[in-house]
Amino acid sequence: MATTSSSFPRPIGSRQRFSALLAATALGVYLLLIIGATTSLTNAAAACSTWPTCHAPADPLSQTELVIAWGHRLAAVIVGLLVAATAVTAVLGDVSSRVRWTILAAAALYVIQVGVGAATAIFGPAAIVPGLHLTLGLVIFTGIVLALAWDLELATGEANDTIDQPEPLESTAVDGEAPAARPLPTGRLARARLTAFAYFKMMKPRLMWLLCLVAAAGMALAAGPSLTVSTIVATLGGGVLAIGASGTFNHVLERDVDQQMSRTADRPLATELIPVRNAMAFGVLLTIASLATFLTINRLAAALGLAAIVFYSVVYTLVLKPNTVQNTVIGGAAGALPALIGWAAVTNEIGWPGLALAGVIFLWTPAHFYNLALAYQDDYARGGFPMMPVVRGETETRKHILYYIAATLISTVALAWITDLGALYAATVAVFGGIFLWAAIVLHFEQTESAAFRAFHASNAFLGAVLVAILVDALVLTGAVL
Ligand code: HEM
Ligand SMILES: CC(C)=CCC/C(C)=C/CC/C(C)=C/COP(=O)(O)OP(=O)(O)O
């Protein structure tokens, strides 16, 4: 990263103490949102019809609900104090006017939110507009995160931190020749093993576990406990082959530019270990195998599988990636398609829960990849790719990571709203979402490669854990949602 050589971590001055307070408030509002959603989903509010305190209900079965309702009330008080302290500091302190006004608007909405909460408790949920409390909570959270992103931009950012001239790679190809490949082993078996491993690597196996979890979560939401092993095997089999096919085409199409980048210079096509013709044949074979596998389920799954392969290989790799800074954002649609494939494999149609899951993946993708783009920005600049940190700078990229995390977290609440996902899902989103948000906030204060990798791993841990929670919730705990 460009800033690793500067004097980070920076000393925390009073300016940055405000940012830290705002960050704590953002995390607090987020946790409150999750506890609030849990209160609503578990019907815990019904266990407490008094305000501001809750009285123990006569029915001992409602004790758990009472604890959740009390937790929500206590969290609301603590977070309310944090919001108030942030608003007062914003008025008195040296902050930008858009940050100050956004915090004041959020604080005013918080007061209204307390009133709505009291009305719900005393007069019952029927007395207020459905969804008003949740919507206000989401607006408050969005406001606080926007204020945080804008404030951190000023407190920790730099005006112009784009890359003009990247350092050339020492081993860069000369006159279009491939970088010197490692000498091939002499033994036949060792050579065959090396080649087989190269074909395997072209399938981008490291991405498969998470993309398979996405498809599995789509299936689980659609089928619940009645999900059959044959549907799982065919969908994940077709998915693995489709990822392999698109990864292989990606290797073919980027073989020249891969030679310019240190992360990719040793890829089998960049080093000419595998001839282009063979790789193309492998990709076509994988595509046919994938479609044949999907067709054993239904035609919609096969059509979506083909769309994912074409979108990633052609639209993303060839059109978007070299030409627009929004490559990652639009390209996220390819990674979101497995959610629809999973849903379609069970239902033979496209449904709202599948679309909502796809929405979570779509919004998560920039928050996932921008961390890597920060860590590898010199490499991407060498390859001539207009990635966010290269053309807009690190400061802008860090801000966008926060935007997309907020959008992702909001979309996870929306997913819970239109499905029967319950407490396990809510707790997982809360814990791993909090860690993800925290890692992105730390990335502003600690502008190093290792902090960027930490946020990247937090992004994968977040999505992985949330998807596993969906699986357990839908397959074991709650049953079918259809
Ligand atoms: C435009 C969209 C995306 C871009 C540009 C992107 C980019 C990357 C890159 C460059 C890597 C490093 C690969 C390597 O060094 O071998 C990576 C790793 C990874 N990505 Fe993404 N990604 C995107 C979307 C996704 C999606 C949708 C998923 C799954 C839902 C995903 C899951 C993963 C996983 C699991 C890893 C490997 C992590 C590890 O090895 O620890 N990515 N991504
Ligand atoms: C079902 C199916 C076919 C899904 C395909 C969707 C898919 C593979 C999405 C992931 C996108 C991705 C990992 C891009 C990697 O970036 P990059 O290609 O820019 O990374 P690189 O620089 O390592 O080549």
Side-chain angles (χ1 to χ4, degrees), residues 204 207 242-243 246 250 254 263 267 308 312 316 321 334 380:
K204 300 209 171 183
L207 313 175
I243 297 162
S246 29
N250 174 271
E254 292 189 335
R263 187 174 61 86
R267 287 187 171 174
Y312 176 53
Y316 170 73
K321 190 172 168 184
Y380 280 116

Side-chain angles (χ1 to χ4, degrees), residues 204 207 211 238-247 250-251 254 258 261 263-264 267 294 304-305 307-310 312 316-317 321 331-338 341 365 368-369 380 385 387:
K204 300 209 171 183
L207 313 175
L211 284 161
V240 162
L241 293 164
I243 297 162
S246 29
N250 174 271
H251 274 71
E254 292 189 335
D258 277 348
M261 298 167 52
R263 187 174 61 86
T264 54
R267 287 187 171 174
F294 279 136
L304 290 168
I309 295 173
V310 172
Y312 176 53
Y316 170 73
T317 303
K321 190 172 168 184
L337 277 171
I341 294 174
T365 301
H368 153 81
F369 174 66
Y380 280 116
F385 290 116
M387 296 308 186

Side-chain angles (χ1 to χ4, degrees), residues 69-441:
W70 256 115
H72 182 47
R73 300 272 171 101
L74 285 177
V77 172
I78 296 166
V79 175
L81 291 174
L82 269 176
V83 171
T86 310
V88 170
T89 319
V91 170
L92 302 177
D94 167 32
V95 301
S96 79
S97 66
R98 74 171 169 174
V99 170
R100 180 179 304 121
W101 284 112
T102 307
I103 291 172
L104 287 179
L109 285 177
Y110 199 95
V111 175
I112 296 174
Q113 179 76 325
V114 171
V116 174
T120 312
I122 297 167
F123 305 114
I128 60 156
V129 180
L132 177 65
H133 201 51
L134 179 65
T135 308
L136 269 178
L138 292 175
V139 173
I140 294 168
F141 176 64
T142 308
I144 295 286
V145 175
L146 284 178
L148 175 66
W150 295 331
D151 183 66
L152 286 172
E153 180 182 17
L154 286 180
T156 64
E158 279 167 32
N160 185 4
D161 52 7
T162 55
I163 297 181
D164 297 327
Q165 198 66 50
E167 295 275 311
L169 198 64
E170 270 175 30
S171 61
T172 296
V174 181
D175 298 334
E177 278 183 28
R182 253 176 269 144
L184 283 176
T186 43
R188 269 173 104 183
L189 190 66
R191 278 168 80 131
R193 214 184 282 153
L194 187 78
T195 311
F197 187 59
Y199 276 98
F200 176 64
K201 261 178 44 184
M202 279 201 305
M203 295 174 69
K204 300 209 171 183
R206 288 167 67 185
L207 313 175
M208 286 176 180
W209 67 274
L210 202 50
L211 284 161
C212 283
L213 274 180
V214 174
M219 286 187 274
L221 281 176
S226 62
L227 187 60
T228 61
V229 175
S230 61
T231 309
I232 299 174
V233 171
T235 309
L236 298 189
V240 162
L241 293 164
I243 297 162
S246 29
T248 303
F249 293 137
N250 174 271
H251 274 71
V252 171
L253 294 168
E254 292 189 335
R255 62 189 184 281
D256 292 335
V257 89
D258 277 348
Q259 293 176 355
Q260 315 293 321
M261 298 167 52
S262 58
R263 187 174 61 86
T264 54
D266 69 344
R267 287 187 171 174
L269 280 145
T271 57
E272 295 178 0
L273 173 67
I274 293 178
V276 175
R277 211 156 26 121
N278 295 8
M280 275 307 286
F282 184 58
V284 170
L285 204 73
L286 288 173
T287 306
I288 294 168
S290 160
L291 297 184
T293 312
F294 279 136
L295 278 172
T296 64
I297 315 169
N298 61 50
R299 275 194 242 164
L300 180 59
L304 290 168
L306 182 62
I309 295 173
V310 172
F311 195 90
Y312 176 53
S313 316
V314 182
V315 181
Y316 170 73
T317 303
L318 216 51
V319 182
L320 300 169
K321 190 172 168 184
N323 292 309
T324 167
V325 67
Q326 295 303 335
N327 50 17
T328 314
V329 177
I330 312 170
L337 277 171
L340 297 184
I341 294 174
W343 180 272
V346 173
T347 63
N348 201 11
E349 60 186 26
I350 288 171
W352 283 112
L355 281 167
L357 179 64
V360 172
I361 315 303
F362 180 75
L363 294 168
W364 164 89
T365 301
H368 153 81
F369 174 66
Y370 285 161
N371 299 295
L372 274 192
L374 281 170
Y376 293 124
Q377 57 180 300
D378 290 320
D379 228 12
Y380 280 116
R382 268 192 291 271
F385 290 116
M387 296 308 186
M388 180 68 83
V390 178
V391 292
R392 298 264 178 91
E394 287 186 24
T395 303
E396 188 78 4
T397 307
R398 284 193 296 269
K399 188 172 71 176
H400 280 250
I401 292 173
L402 274 183
Y403 286 168
Y404 280 102
I405 291 181
T408 306
L409 296 178
I410 287 171
S411 69
T412 58
V413 179
L415 178 62
W417 202 246
I418 62 167
T419 61
D420 275 352
L421 293 167
L424 174 73
Y425 171 79
T428 310
V429 171
V431 171
F432 285 87
I435 294 170
F436 190 13
L437 188 56
W438 177 250
I441 292 169

